[in-house]
Amino acid sequence: MKDELNRKLAFLSQGEHLKAVCGIVRGIERETLRVAKDGAISQTDHPVAFGSALTHPYITTDYSEALLEFITPASTDANKTMAQLEDIHRFAVKNLGDEVLWPLSMPCYIDKEEDIRLAYYGESNSGKMKHLYREGLRFRYGSFMQTISGIHFNLSFPEPLFKALAQYDGQSETSQDFQSAQYLGLIRNFKRYVWLLTYLYGASPALCGSFIKGAGKKYPFEQVGPGSLYLPYATSLRLSDLGYTSNEQSSLKISYNNIDEYVSGLRNAIHTPVERYQIPADNPNGYAQLNNNLLQIENEYYSPVRPKRTTRSGEKPTDALADRGIEYIEIRSMDVNPYSPVGIELSQIHFLDVLLSYCLLKPSPDIDDGQNAVLHENMTKVILRGREPGLTLTDGDKQVTLVQWGKAVFDELLSVAQWLDKAGDTEIYTNVVLTQRKALDDPELTLSARFLNELKRDNIGSGGWAVSHAAQYKAHFEQAQPKHFCDEHMREQASSSLQRQKAIEQADDVDFDTFLANYFAD
C-alpha cells in the first residue's frame, strides 16, 4: 500500500496535476460553555446581542442554552479562518457581561441536571423541532453528556484533485459517484488512523468528579487537586464511554463502504422503534422526544467522522446525500485545545490537512464488522492509555506498539506533506509533521500530558485551571482588535438573524403535529 501511495503522489506531482490540491476548503465549529466567573454553568438566556440561535450564521447553541457554538464560513485560507474564529470569540466575549467561556472539553462543576437549561430557538415549527430533539436527548442520555464541548473540522478537496484522481484510475472524467467513493475511502482510513490524532491532540485526561458521580468506579481513577479525577495515561476521556458516546447506539452497524449502505443504515436507525424509548401514552409532559426510534434524526448518531452534504430547507441529511452525494467531511473527534483562546491552533489545521490528504490518497479497503471491532478496540486503548509505555495496537493481523506504528504512519505523512508543500510553494506542512512526530518519542509533548502535568505540579483541579485560563482568555479578547469581522458587521448579522427568525415564525402555515408528520414522511 505504501508503494501505491508513492505512485499516486508521483502522478499528482506531475505538470498540470501538481496544483490540483490547491484550494482545500475548511470550516471550524467550536463549542464552549458560558459560565460564571467561578465556573458555574450559566443560567441566563442566550444573549440578545448574539442574535437568533436559530438563524445566525456564526453564533448558535448546541444542546443547552449555555453551550455556544461558533461557526466560521467555508474558506480556502486557513489564516483567514483562524482570524474569523478569533473575531467571533472577541465579539461574544465583549457581550457576555461577567460571564466567561469555558476553555476545556469536559464541563465545569454542575450540581444537578436541572441546572442545564435546554436551548431555545423561538416559536417557529423548526425552532420547536430543534428544542424537542434536545428534550429527546435529555430523555435518552441525560443532560450531563450534552455539556461536553469539542471542535468540529469540516473539509472538502477541490474539484481538480478529483479529476486528477479519476485520471489516475483510468477514467476520462470524474463524477459525483466517484467523489463520494473517494470521500468514503477517506473516512474508512480516518477510522483506521484516528487513534494517532487522539494521541497527539487529546486534551481531556482529567475531569470533574461531579461529572461521572458513581460511574467513576469503572476505572482506576486517581485524584488531583480538589475534586478532579484522572487516568495516568489517558488522552481524551471526552471520547470514552464516560464522555460523548452512547451505549444504546452500539447495536448500530453503519457501513462506510458505499453511499447506499451508509444512507440505508441511518434510515433504518431513524425508523426502528426501541422499547426503552417508549413514552407512556398518558405522559403528563406531552412531547418528550421527536419519536421513539433508535435515532430521532440522523444527527443523533455519534460518530468521529461524518460524510456531509449541505441540505435544502426541510431536507433530511440522508436525502441530500442520496440525491447529490458527499460534498465534504466533518471530523468530530477533536478535543478543545485548552492552550488556545479559540480552542484550536493553526498548526492543528495544517496537520489535519496532511492527515486527511493521506487518508484520501492511501488505498482504503472496505471495513467489515470484525475490523470495525478491532478499530474500536485500538481507539479505546489510546483514549484510556495512549501514553502508556509499550502500549500495543492491532495493525491488520499483527500487534505493534503505538510508537512503532506511529512512526511508520509519519513516514508516509511526510511524503504527503512534501507534496502539499510543493503544490503550495511552502514548507508549513513538512514542518508541522516533523514537529508532531517528536511526540512519539516524547509523550510529554502531547496536549494531554502537558495539561495533566500542570494539574499535578500545581495540585489544582481541572476546574481551577479552567477558571484561571478562562479569565486570561477573556482579558485577551477584550483587548483584541478585529481582523476580519468588525463589530458593525457582527451587530448587523445579529439583527438580520432576528429578522429571519421572525419571518420563519410568521411563515408557518401548519401546526406542529403536521409539521413533524410531514418531515418524517417517507
Side-chain angles (χ1 to χ4, degrees), residues 227-255:
S228 285
L229 303 176
Y230 73 94
L231 294 177
Y233 300 111
T235 58
S236 176
L237 295 176
R238 165 183 170 265
L239 296 176
S240 74
D241 58 1
L242 296 174
Y244 210 81
T245 59
S246 165
N247 292 329
E248 284 75 11
Q249 294 183 20
S250 60
S251 63
L252 281 175
K253 291 182 171 58
I254 304 297
S255 170

Side-chain angles (χ1 to χ4, degrees), residues 192-295:
R192 292 181 172 104
Y193 301 112
V194 62
W195 60 265
L196 182 58
L197 194 67
T198 302
Y199 172 79
L200 296 171
Y201 297 136
S204 52
L207 44 72
C208 178
S210 70
F211 180 78
I212 55 176
K213 300 188 184 300
K217 297 177 181 179
K218 182 176 182 179
Y219 297 109
F221 280 113
E222 300 179 28
Q223 184 165 334
V224 60
S228 285
L229 303 176
Y230 73 94
L231 294 177
Y233 300 111
T235 58
S236 176
L237 295 176
R238 165 183 170 265
L239 296 176
S240 74
D241 58 1
L242 296 174
Y244 210 81
T245 59
S246 165
N247 292 329
E248 284 75 11
Q249 294 183 20
S250 60
S251 63
L252 281 175
K253 291 182 171 58
I254 304 297
S255 170
Y256 295 94
N257 292 334
N258 62 68
I259 192 71
D260 291 338
E261 289 182 3
Y262 177 77
V263 168
S264 175
L266 277 183
R267 283 177 171 170
N268 286 338
I270 61 176
H271 289 94
T272 301
V274 176
E275 184 174 355
R276 191 175 101 72
Y277 295 155
Q278 295 284 346
I279 296 176
D282 60 351
N283 173 39
N285 297 321
Y287 283 117
Q289 55 185 348
L290 293 175
N291 53 58
N292 61 4
N293 297 328
L294 184 55
L295 300 178

Side-chain angles (χ1 to χ4, degrees), residues 5 9 354 357-358 361 412-421:
L5 174 64
L9 287 172
V354 178
S357 296
Y358 171 70
L361 301 181
E412 296 184 320
L413 289 175
L414 184 58
S415 297
V416 174
Q418 290 168 342
W419 165 65
L420 289 169
D421 279 337

Side-chain angles (χ1 to χ4, degrees), residues 367-380 394:
I367 297 175
D368 60 26
D369 291 342
Q371 292 166 333
N372 258 324
V374 171
L375 299 180
H376 178 74
E377 181 181 5
N378 282 344
M379 186 61 170
T380 299
T394 303

Side-chain angles (χ1 to χ4, degrees), residues 49 91 94-95 486-496:
F91 179 81
K94 287 181 62 177
N95 290 279
C486 66
D487 286 349
E488 182 180 1
H489 172 75
M490 294 299 293
R491 286 192 292 267
E492 288 174 353
Q493 291 296 326
S495 176
S496 59

Side-chain angles (χ1 to χ4, degrees), residues 1-19:
M1 287 189 179
K2 183 175 182 180
D3 290 341
E4 174 65 13
L5 174 64
N6 288 334
R7 284 193 292 269
K8 192 174 289 186
L9 287 172
F11 176 83
L12 293 173
S13 298
Q14 298 174 5
E16 62 177 340
H17 300 317
L18 178 59
K19 297 294 184 180

